[in-house]
Amino acid sequence: MSLKLYELVGTDPSRPFSPYCWRTRMALAHKGLSAESLPWRFTEKSTLVPHGSEKVPVLLHDDRPIVDSWTIATYLEDKFPDRPSLFGGEGGRAMARMINAWGDIAIVGGIFPLIVADIPNNLGETDAAYFRQSREARFAGKSLEDVMSSRDTGVVAFRKSLEVMRQTLKKQPYLGGGAPNYADYIVFGGFQWARVVSPFKLLEADDPIHAWREKLLDAFDGMARTSPGYEV
């Protein structure tokens, strides 16, 4: 069996930083699977076109492409049913689908303006120029620095937006219950993305979400913690 994973990197190929690739990385580890990392950069879209995509993650299973982190998670669940479940059954899969959307909107979307101007610092010149041009277009030409200029107040609102998650983690150690599952990896992917690209502190040390993140950094023999990142 051959598994290969296209992952977003910058100048350091050992520093993958896509939140969606981290969802997949954690899912693979949960299943006890390992994949060869194939470093990919923003301006290398043509590399993925033969696999039916222009963005990562793309997982190759014996050269068959599986595109998109959610699709990859469900593929792993169905293809390797004898390994630990990512969802804990169809009910868990249905709940995780909602968390997947919430993770995109509230976590990735909420973190993005808090770290956006730090991301080009991790990129080569060509990719940094592409990232700046494409992302500033989303903000009607506003510079990344201007978007991020209010992050000291913006992070307060972001922390408040996590209250439902915080209340959940006061009652149980993980979103998945007594042990982490794919719901946890969806959300963790966003926090790991931020940790890899930015020194900005998203969470207070006494926040239950901070304690949850620390446990996931240490999961799977510290796979996420040992990946290059900032101490935040």
Side-chain angles (χ1 to χ4, degrees):
M1 179 181 65
S2 170
L3 290 170
K4 299 177 182 179
L5 179 64
Y6 282 99
E7 301 185 278
L8 177 63
V9 301
T11 53
D12 183 354
S14 69
R15 198 180 184 105
F17 64 88
S18 162
Y20 304 103
C21 291
W22 271 102
R23 293 178 188 181
T24 298
R25 273 193 159 215
M26 299 294 281
L28 285 164
H30 183 101
K31 283 286 189 181
L33 299 167
S34 60
E36 177 187 351
S37 179
L38 302 176
W40 178 88
R41 295 169 178 83
F42 283 116
T43 54
E44 297 174 345
K45 295 184 184 298
S46 62
T47 302
L48 301 180
V49 170
H51 303 304
S53 184
E54 291 188 346
K55 57 185 179 181
V56 290
V58 173
L59 180 69
L60 301 181
H61 182 199
D62 294 332
D63 295 326
R64 172 189 173 182
I66 304 96
V67 176
D68 175 75
S69 58
W70 175 259
T71 303
I72 292 170
T74 58
Y75 177 86
L76 293 175
E77 185 76 346
D78 297 337
K79 193 70 175 178
F80 303 98
D82 56 325
R83 292 173 178 263
S85 175
L86 286 167
F87 303 114
E90 286 307 306
R93 189 189 304 236
M95 291 288 286
R97 186 176 289 109
M98 186 278 289
I99 297 292
N100 200 66
W102 184 75
D104 291 348
I105 296 166
I107 302 300
V108 175
I111 291 173
F112 186 70
L114 307 178
I115 65 169
V116 63
D118 292 329
I119 294 175
N121 298 332
N122 299 272
L123 307 176
E125 183 177 351
T126 301
D127 285 304
Y130 163 80
F131 181 85
R132 181 173 292 276
Q133 180 181 24
S134 60
R135 272 51 178 183
E136 288 180 350
R138 298 182 186 179
F139 293 98
K142 193 175 182 180
S143 75
L144 301 184
E145 288 73 19
D146 283 345
V147 171
M148 203 175 74
S149 63
S150 60
R151 70 178 176 179
D152 287 338
T153 54
V155 73
V156 176
F158 172 70
R159 290 168 183 164
K160 289 181 179 177
S161 76
L162 304 177
E163 188 59 27
V164 171
M165 179 180 175
R166 188 173 294 112
Q167 291 300 320
T168 300
L169 294 174
K170 288 180 179 179
K171 301 291 195 301
Q172 59 195 53
Y174 298 99
L175 299 180
N181 66 13
Y182 193 65
D184 293 273
Y185 309 145
I186 290 167
V187 181
F188 176 74
F191 286 104
Q192 178 70 349
W193 163 52
R195 174 185 170 272
V196 172
V197 299
S198 174
F200 186 64
K201 182 180 178 181
L202 293 176
L203 300 168
E204 298 287 4
D206 61 351
D207 191 331
I209 300 173
H210 183 278
W212 164 88
R213 188 195 66 175
E214 291 295 295
K215 287 185 289 188
L216 287 172
L217 283 169
D218 289 332
F220 311 121
D221 297 321
M223 179 182 70
R225 191 181 296 279
T226 57
S227 187
Y230 293 94
E231 294 297 323
V232 291

